[in-house]
């Protein structure tokens, strides 16, 4: 697992280096090309690449809804020192130098829409319908994740990047001799914040939005988050697994030592030092572990490679291959060895503490004495079999407790897997039921006057329209700052709701802002405190606002304001940057056709599609974890129950065999032995529920991200699922042991003293 | 009514007469296909007269000598009923890789109700093997073993388990009590599964353990544990009590108390008892003593007078 994570990190590293992924990014309205020279001259700047970037509505063959395309100009001097964020051509060729209708399409978008080379995409270029021909597929380090406008998650069917010649785009968008997007590589020792400030100063006169570094670049940030999740998984799962494995080793060795205690005594009486005997067992344990390690490495490498295979489907790194580094092997081995060592040492310590004379005697006959059992009134009614079961457990309370703990731990693992699965689904459901309730979101290329709404209302199938204004801003609270979008919504808005913990609507306050809880934490502000807000578009006003409340939507982070209040502050006349629509599903196809043909729309996102995509992405991040956790859990329960039943069988085999001689059926004898295990499992289930809940609780902060936040939500179904899995695994283990019980040697038991 | 597949269908009606001994009538109903019945002594076929429907040999025996033997057995055991258990031509050969180890060779044996049979033999003579075969724990390599009209050699595992459960009481050399249960619970555990169990407390009182009911095995002496084991075996009201060296790991006085318990059980419950020992002194207790050497019955001896446990010493 760790190897998988490191391979991914390494692939990302290699990819970013070889493609010269930029360090600083900035957008502006329209900056003259010569400005690039001044940018290049800034201290700490190594390379500057200017681009023309525009979002347009695309008509994609086979897709009824409109898609959004991001048109990016190709570098004029490919391969030069200023060529940053280099493309990797995966198929086809570059557009012909003077062509204005050929385009490269991102590999992911092409794959998601099954676009062949030579496919045609309809696009409205500056008000005129145009057909583009796909001549090649490409990958870009800037768009490992392609996240469109007004999107939090990538949707590869409905948002894609297209690269065209600079000339063609320059003409279409009146950007001849100008640029509106710039990527900058900094020198190794440069101070990125200083570069950001300098870039901002230069771009400000040309409608520049504030520059940002990699950490705010959507694709980079998303990838880091996802790798972060994988890292958590890669650490967490093996830890649990190894802890349980050490425990299993301990019990196995303890059993071996109890069988061989007379030999230990004999060796001791011959004068062997305790440490030599201890060493012998330790060696033995290490041999087992070494064999395990070899097997583990042998099995682990293909497993890791398989995981990488799964991730290769998602991450489009050209250099993503599974490579086992010596470091990973050493870490894995030493972790496994120390886990095993701890298990082995404690068992060995017990053996070496034995005095020789004592060790040579068979382990003290099990002394059962009237105990707790007799003091309980209801035990009068128990049959002898149940009493035997209970007394056997009560005699070794520690071992019973350890078994219960082990099974509980395994169950907790299953539960965590299930919890994450449930929580993710719940998260998506709440977000879209309670917060984002629109069917379609339409984003304009820039801020529009409210009358743009009227034309939306006139579209077929539109039932209601709710405008919103998205204002890119930098929020500052003391030393902390964060670049986010301020979402201004009408106070009576129905299609977007600000919600509290329970998913209930919070009214947007007439003055002040509401922050997503997570954003409040990032900025370390509390309700009642003041916030500095710097507008990053338009007039670039600075103003202060009071934090009124924190909101609890599970996906994304935002700051909310009342649209009228924001308009007043900005002295705008109720400008809008998009609208949420509720539509009549039956008329959706006509609506989509219209939207595709509307030049004034930069992006359209469709609720159902968004939910599906988010579901898919969440699944991708978590499905492996949940299945692996569940799988491990099952293996662990089976292992624990089987192991503990086997120990019981080896200790009490002769008892059971004599009962068989006395005419007990296999079933009865099996009941006697497994009854004990059944009690352990039954005891472990509530413990597992508690432990599982605790582990899930501990995971909550780990999954408290900007992108999404898992709710701490344990349903009865989660518990039931874990309990059911645990029980079935236990039954499987029991069946394995039952086979052995059937093979008990009835005659042998009569010949030897136990 | 019992059917004997080899002898056709006979009705055995056993009635207790006034003198206390049993009179048995053999009423032959239908001769089987081959017109054969079985000898009550050796179970071999009985010759039938060709011209009438009567057996040539005395009823129930295939030769006059066997008729005499039958009579003698009747005298000996006061019981001319057919044997509770019988073995015919039983051999047991253990295969140890390439070598065959014969543990029993062509053993014929019958055990009757209420007998106290002592099987005596040197170590390795096959005593335990014999007992295990009688107890349905092992199957002979050749030969047949019967319990009443059931052929154990033809039975499957579940039926053998049922046979042990309902009809056989075992007493082992090493007691094999469940350490987690008290004396009483150990007896109750087994009594629970038997269809006609005796009261556990009562049986324990019979073997002299009335004041040890709630002791765990670890709190009992070896002799006491063995008596618990005997009580456990008797509690299910077995038809046959099989004891493999019950005094093997006990000292003399303790062993004697255990033997007294067995003797008492045989007397009071009339349980057919088979006791294995390599201790010749114990042989005096048996109503019949069978000596085993190298897997064969070398000698059968009927004790006219059985010594009581008190009279024995070793
Ligand atoms: N499971 C077995 N596999 C191979 N040989 C066996 C097995 N059990 C018994 N034997 C052999 O069969 C022979 C008879 O064994 P058995 O246990 O019946 O003797 P025994 O008369 O009970 O002896 P002891 O008095 O020592 O208990 C011995 O030679 C023994 O080695
Ligand atoms: Mg023996």
């Amino acid at each position: 697992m760790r190897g998988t994570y490191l391979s991914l990190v390494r692939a990302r590293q290699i990819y970013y280096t070889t493609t010269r992924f930029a360090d600083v990014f900035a957008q502006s309205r329209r900056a003259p090309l010569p400005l690039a020279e001044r940018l290049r001259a800034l201290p700490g700047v190594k390379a500057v690449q200017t681009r023309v970037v525009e979002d347009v509505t695309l008509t994609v063959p086979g897709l009824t809804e409109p898609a959004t395309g991001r048109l990016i100009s190709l570098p004029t001097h490919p391969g030069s020192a200023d060529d940053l964020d280099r493309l990797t051509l995966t198929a086809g060729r570059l557009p012909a130098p003077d062509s204005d209708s050929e385009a490269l399409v991102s590999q992911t978008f092409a794959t998601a829409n099954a676009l062949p080379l030579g496919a045609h995409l309809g696009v409205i270029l500056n008000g005129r319908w145009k057909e583009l021909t796909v001549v090649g597929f490409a990958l870009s380090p800037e768009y490992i994740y392609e996240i469109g406008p007004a999107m939090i998650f990538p949707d590869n069917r409905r948002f894609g990047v297209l690269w065209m010649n600079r000339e063609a785009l320059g003409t279409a968008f009146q950007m001849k001799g100008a640029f509106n997007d710039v990527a900058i590589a900094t020198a190794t020792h440069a101070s990125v914040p200083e570069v950001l400030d300098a870039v901002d100063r230069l771009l400000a006169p040309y409608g520049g939005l504030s520059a940002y570094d990699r950490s705010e670049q959507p694709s980079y940030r998303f990838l880091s988050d996802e790798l972060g999740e994988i890292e958590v998984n890669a650490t967490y799962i093996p830890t649990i697994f190894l802890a349980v494995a050490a425990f299993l080793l301990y019990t196995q060795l303890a059993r071996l030592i109890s069988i061989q205690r007379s030999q230990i005594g004999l060796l001791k009486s011959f004068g062997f030092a305790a440490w030599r005997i201890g060493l012998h067992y330790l060696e033995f344990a290490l041999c087992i572990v070494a064999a395990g390690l070899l097997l583990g490495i042998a099995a682990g490498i293909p497993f890791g490679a398989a995981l990488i295979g799964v991730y290769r489907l998602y991450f489009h790194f050209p250099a993503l291959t599974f490579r086992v580094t010596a470091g990973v092997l050493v870490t894995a081995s030493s972790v496994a060895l120390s886990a095993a060592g701890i298990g082995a040492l404690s068992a060995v310590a017990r053996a070496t503490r034995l005095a020789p004379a004592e060790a040579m005697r068979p382990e003290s006959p099990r002394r059962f004495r009237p105990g707790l059992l007799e003091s309980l009134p209801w035990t009068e009614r128990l049959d002898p079999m149940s009493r035997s079961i209970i007394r056997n457990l009560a005699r070794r309370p520690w071992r019973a407790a350890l078994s219960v703990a082990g099974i509980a731990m395994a169950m907790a693992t299953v539960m965590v897997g299930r919890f994450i699965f449930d929580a993710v689904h719940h998260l998506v459901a709440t977000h879209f039921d309670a917060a984002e309730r629109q069917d379609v979101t339409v984003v304009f290329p820039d801020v529009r006057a409210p009358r743009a709404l009227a034309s939306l209302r006139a579209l077929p199938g539109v039932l209601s329209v709710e405008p919103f204004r998205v204002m890119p801003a930098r929020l500052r609270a003391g030393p902390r700052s964060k670049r986010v979008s301020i979402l201004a919504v009408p106070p009576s808005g129905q299609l977007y709701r600000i919600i509290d913990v329970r998913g209930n609507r919070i009214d947007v306050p007439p003055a002040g802002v509401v922050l997503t809880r997570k954003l409040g934490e990032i900025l370390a502000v509390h309700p009642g405190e003041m916030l500095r807000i710097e507008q990053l578009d338009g007039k670039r006003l600075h103003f202060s606002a009071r934090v009124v409340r924190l909101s609890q939507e599970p996906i994304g982070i935002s700051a909310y304001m009342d649209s009228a209040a924001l308009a007043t502050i900005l002295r705008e006349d109720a400008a809008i940057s998009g609208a949420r629509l509720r539509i009549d599903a039956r008329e959706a196809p006509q609506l989509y056709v219209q939207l595709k043909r509307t030049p004034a729309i930069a992006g359209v996102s469709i609720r159902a599609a968004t939910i599906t995509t988010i579901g898919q992405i969440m699944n991708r991040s978590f499905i492996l974890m949940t299945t692996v956790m569940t799988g491990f859990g099952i293996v662990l329960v089976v292992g624990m129950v089987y192991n503990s039943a086997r120990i019981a069988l080896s200790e009490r085999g002769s008892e059971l065999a004599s009962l068989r001689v006395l005419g007990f059926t296999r079933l009865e004898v099996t009941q006697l032995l497994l009854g004990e295990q059944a009690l352990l499992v039954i005891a472990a289930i509530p413990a597992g529920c508690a432990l599982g809940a605790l582990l899930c609780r501990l995971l909550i902060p780990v999954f408290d991200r900007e992108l999404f936040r898992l709710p701490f939500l344990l349903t009865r179904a989660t518990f039931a699922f874990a309990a059911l899995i645990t029980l079935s695994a236990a039954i499987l283990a029991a069946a394995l042991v039952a086979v052995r019980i059937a093979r008990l040697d009835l005659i042998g038991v009569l010949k030897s003293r136990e | 009514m019992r059917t004997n597949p080899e002898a056709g269908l006979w009705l055995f009606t056993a009635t207790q007469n006034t003198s206390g001994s049993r009179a048995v009538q053999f009423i032959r109903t239908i001769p089987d296909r081959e017109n054969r019945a079985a000898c009550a002594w050796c179970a071999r076929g009985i010759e039938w007269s060709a011209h009438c429907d009567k057996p040539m040999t005395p009823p129930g025996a295939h030769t006059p000598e066997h008729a005499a033997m039958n009579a003698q057995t009747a005298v000996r055991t006061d019981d001319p009923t057919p044997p509770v258990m019988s073995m015919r031509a039983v051999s047991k050969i253990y295969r140890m890789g390439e070598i065959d180890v014969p543990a029993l060779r062509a053993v014929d044996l019958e055990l009757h109700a209420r007998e106290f049979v002592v099987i005596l033999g040197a170590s390795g003579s096959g005593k335990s093997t014999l007992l295990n075969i009688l107890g349905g724990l092992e199957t002979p390599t050749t030969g047949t073993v019967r319990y009443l009209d059931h052929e154990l050699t033809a039975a499957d595992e579940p039926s053998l388990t049922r046979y042990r459960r309902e009809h056989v009481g075992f007493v082992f050399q090493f007691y094999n009590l469940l350490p987690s249960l008290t004396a009483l619970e150990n007896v109750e555990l087994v009594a629970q599964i038997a269809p006609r169990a005796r009261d556990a407390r009562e049986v324990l009182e019979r073997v002299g353990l009335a004041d040890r009911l709630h002791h765990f095995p670890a709190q009992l002496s070896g002799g006491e544990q063995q008596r618990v084991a005997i009580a456990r075996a008797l509690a299910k009201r077995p038809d046959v009590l099989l004891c493999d060296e019950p005094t093997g790991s006990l000292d003399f006085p303790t062993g004697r108390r255990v033997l007294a318990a067995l003797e008492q059980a045989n007397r009071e419950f009339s349980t057919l008892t088979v006791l294995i020992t390599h201790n010749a002194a114990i042989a005096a207790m048996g109503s019949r003593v069978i000596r085993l050497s190298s897997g064969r019955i070398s000698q059968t001896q009927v004790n006219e007078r059985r010594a009581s446990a008190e009279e024995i010493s070793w």
Side-chain angles (χ1 to χ4, degrees), chain A residues 751, chain B residues 94 96 101-103 121-130 245 278:
Chain A
K751 292 188 177 155
Chain B
Y94 289 109
M96 303 280 291
V101 182
S123 186
S125 55
K127 307 183 295 290
S128 297
T129 308
L130 181 75
E245 310 241 18
H278 55 253

Side-chain angles (χ1 to χ4, degrees), chain A residues 103 138 201 252 272 284 293 337 381 486 501 514 517 557 692 709:
Chain A
R201 272 195 303 276
Q252 290 291 347
F272 280 90
F284 176 78
L293 268 184
L337 271 179
R381 287 195 301 276
I486 289 183
V501 184
V514 174
R517 176 192 50 82
I557 54 173
R709 292 160 293 280

Side-chain angles (χ1 to χ4, degrees), chain A residues 77-327:
Chain A
H77 303 290
S80 75
D82 277 336
D83 186 8
L84 300 175
D85 298 342
R86 287 182 186 174
L87 298 181
T88 312
L89 199 63
T90 54
R93 56 170 176 85
L94 289 171
D98 49 358
S99 162
D100 65 351
S101 62
E102 291 182 349
L104 291 182
V105 170
S106 79
Q107 174 73 62
T108 20
F109 183 68
T111 311
N113 284 303
L115 291 179
L117 285 177
H120 297 288
L121 297 173
V123 61
I124 294 169
L125 279 189
N126 215 27
R128 289 210 321 278
W129 172 262
K130 193 170 181 76
E131 229 167 50
L132 300 181
T133 311
V134 177
V135 294
F137 302 144
L139 293 175
S140 159
E142 259 183 290
Y143 293 96
I144 290 172
Y145 280 102
E146 297 173 78
I147 300 172
M151 287 181 175
I152 302 173
F153 285 88
D155 175 353
N156 292 328
R157 278 204 82 185
R158 290 166 202 87
F159 178 77
V161 180
L162 285 77
W163 289 270
M164 291 176 67
N165 285 321
R166 177 75 172 247
E167 276 295 309
L169 291 181
T171 316
F173 298 104
Q174 283 99 45
M175 284 284 174
K176 268 189 180 315
F179 67 92
N180 64 359
D181 190 289
V182 61
I184 297 168
T186 57
T188 358
H189 54 271
S191 145
V192 173
E194 279 172 23
V195 173
L196 290 177
D197 277 351
V199 171
D200 277 351
R201 272 195 303 276
L202 280 181
L203 285 179
Y206 307 100
L209 300 182
S210 102
Y212 51 91
D213 63 2
R214 281 184 180 187
S215 70
E216 284 177 320
Q217 204 268 337
S219 168
Y220 185 94
R221 138 129 260 135
F222 202 93
L223 184 58
S224 304
D225 269 3
E226 186 148 10
L227 287 183
E229 274 139 44
I230 294 172
E231 186 182 13
V232 170
N233 301 350
T235 326
Y236 180 80
I237 299 176
T239 308
I240 294 190
F241 200 66
L242 282 173
V244 179
F247 175 68
L248 286 179
L249 188 73
Y250 166 76
T251 54
Q252 290 291 347
L253 263 186
R255 178 165 144 230
L256 182 78
I257 287 169
S258 79
I259 292 168
Q260 298 193 345
R261 46 189 286 142
S262 59
Q263 280 104 305
I264 297 178
L266 204 62
L267 287 175
K268 274 196 164 182
S269 64
F270 286 162
F272 280 90
W275 64 266
R276 299 227 6 215
I277 297 167
L279 200 66
H280 165 77
Y281 281 98
L282 207 57
E283 271 168 18
F284 176 78
L286 290 186
C287 284
I288 297 179
V289 175
L293 268 184
L294 286 181
L295 256 176
I297 290 172
I301 290 177
F303 179 66
L307 274 185
I308 284 293
V310 173
Y311 283 117
R312 195 177 297 133
L313 297 178
Y314 300 126
F315 298 110
H316 304 275
F317 299 144
L320 181 52
T321 52
F322 185 66
R323 214 184 49 173
V324 183
T325 59

